[in-house]
Amino acid sequence: MDTIQSYPYDAVLGDIGIINGWIITPNGAAPLQGAQWIVADRTWTYSYLPTSSVVLGLLLLCIPFIGWILAIPVMASQATAVTGYVEVTVLTRGLIHLTQIPVATVGQIWSVYRMVQGLRVI
């Protein structure tokens, strides 16, 4: 079975493809002009202490004085991660389709927003 990525689309958002002024989805096809796009950010960001920081901090604690001072900022360092998905809904003449695009970085979230904004202009 062919997937939507196997065709030369102008743009692809999850399982929504845009080609020659048409929106192609598993629910059907409709003209791009006049389509309404809704984007919902369903992600969350969290901070965590990486394992490498814990191990390095414990090793530095084995070194008297200087190691103790260096261990404090190492143990206090945190990493930030993004998880979740961005929902994109398209509403147009007789077609409603929602797709969920998994994301792992803030850049991927903004990439989806920019692509939808470009499609809204058309």
Side-chain angles (χ1 to χ4, degrees), residues 75-93:
M75 293 291 278
S77 66
Q78 290 189 349
T80 303
V82 175
T83 188
Y85 56 93
V86 177
E87 278 183 357
V88 177
T89 306
V90 61
L91 305 158
T92 188
R93 301 175 200 147

Side-chain angles (χ1 to χ4, degrees), residues 45-76:
T45 305
Y46 60 95
S47 298
Y48 64 96
L49 186 61
T51 306
S52 58
S53 294
V54 173
V55 171
L56 182 59
L58 291 174
L59 289 174
L60 287 171
L61 286 175
C62 295
I63 304 170
F65 306 116
I66 300 292
W68 298 343
I69 294 171
L70 294 175
I72 293 170
V74 169
M75 293 291 278

Side-chain angles (χ1 to χ4, degrees), residues 2 5 11-13 17-18 21 23 39 41-42 44 50 53-54 59 62 71 80-81 83 87 89 95 97-98 111 118:
D2 292 333
Q5 284 83 9
V12 175
L13 285 163
I18 309 298
I23 301 168
V39 181
D41 184 357
R42 306 282 188 222
W44 60 95
S53 294
V54 173
L59 289 174
C62 295
T80 303
T83 188
E87 278 183 357
T89 306
L95 176 69
H97 186 73
L98 179 138
S111 167

